[in-house]
Amino acid sequence: LVVQLLASPGAGKTTLLEVTASRLNGATMAVLVGDLATERDAERIRRVAPCIPLTTGGACHLEMSLVEAGFAKLDKAPVDFLFIEDVGNLVCPASHDVGQHERVTLLSVTEGDDKAGKYPKAFRTSQTLVISKIDLLPYVPFSMENAFDDARRIQPLLHVMRLSSLTGEGLDGWISFLTRRRDAMIARGDYVDASRQEG
Ligand SMILES: Nc1nc2c(ncn2[C@@H]2O[C@H](COP(=O)(O)OP(=O)(O)OP(=O)(O)O)[C@@H](O)[C@H]2O)c(=O)[nH]1
Ligand SMILES: [Mg+2]
């Protein structure tokens, strides 16, 4: 299952991938991670999962050609989940498909509950919204109800989850969501057996 993670800078994409790797219960994952100028996120993720950095050289989003080049560098052993962390940006990545089955937008509670309406394309083109950093809810003015209503006005079919990578709250739901989506993809036959590909 190919999952694209899209969010503002600092919303918690890399941290979520780090904790996901430790909770997959025997399933495997690899990551392609986009960044403007450094390999910092790749260095973090490599401690827990195979990861290829995609350095955009200043571009504010990933494009398919960069993703393909990164994918070619990954070990061709099949993995259950391929995550693509897009450049931290709630605007440009929404206009670029990267071969994902699932686009997951993260919205951290410190960003405010009004972002779906302000950055509608990210939410409209996503299948799933993850409200992240919910451990900080006692300290910031963020209405879960307002965030849900605003997002669902933009995309009524949006699947919404909330979690904290810090405390672990909501992570069981995240992992079971990923597993369900992967099972559904296999049932549809909508996957590539990379081990059978040449080159
Ligand atoms: N309190 C709290 N902090 C978190 C949580 N998840 C991530 N953080 C912190 O938020 C900051 C940014 O997290 P990252 O995972 O680097 O965010 P990112 O979205 O990958 O950032 P970019 O790649 O720069 O766009 C770090 O200081 C994390 O420790 C969380 O669930 N709760
Ligand atoms: Mg990151």
Side-chain angles (χ1 to χ4, degrees), residues 141-168:
F142 182 95
S143 157
M144 205 54 85
E145 196 183 347
N146 287 354
F148 278 32
D149 288 351
D150 200 28
R152 288 222 169 98
R153 249 194 306 275
I154 303 289
Q155 163 55 290
L157 298 178
L158 202 59
H159 173 60
V160 187
M161 276 181 286
R162 41 180 139 175
L163 56 78
S164 166
S165 299
L166 201 69
T167 64

Side-chain angles (χ1 to χ4, degrees), residues 71 74-80 191-199:
F71 185 72
L74 273 177
D75 182 1
K76 284 295 171 286
V79 289
D80 298 306
Y191 66 101
V192 175
D193 184 348
S195 65
R196 293 186 174 197
Q197 286 195 314
E198 293 181 8

Side-chain angles (χ1 to χ4, degrees), residues 21-125:
S22 65
R23 289 178 174 248
L24 278 183
N25 299 322
T28 51
M29 63 180 265
V31 180
L32 303 175
V33 59
D35 232 323
L36 297 183
T38 75
E39 296 191 1
R40 289 179 190 173
D41 283 1
E43 285 159 17
R44 285 167 60 189
I45 294 167
R46 270 198 200 117
R47 294 184 199 128
V48 290
C51 180
I52 303 292
L54 308 176
T55 309
T56 66
C60 56
H61 60 271
L62 292 178
E63 290 192 8
M64 200 60 210
S65 53
L66 201 56
V67 171
E68 279 178 327
F71 185 72
K73 291 184 193 158
L74 273 177
D75 182 1
K76 284 295 171 286
V79 289
D80 298 306
F81 300 100
L82 175 65
F83 293 97
I84 303 174
E85 177 181 333
D86 218 308
V87 176
N89 182 337
L90 215 41
V91 184
C92 313
S95 296
H96 297 270
D97 286 331
V98 291
Q100 75 278 1
H101 294 103
E102 186 86 14
R103 175 174 283 171
V104 176
T105 287
L106 270 73
L107 173 65
S108 61
V109 300
T110 52
E111 292 168 62
D113 53 29
D114 62 345
K115 293 300 171 286
K118 293 183 68 183
Y119 302 90
K121 192 162 187 184
F123 295 82
R124 189 180 303 119
T125 60

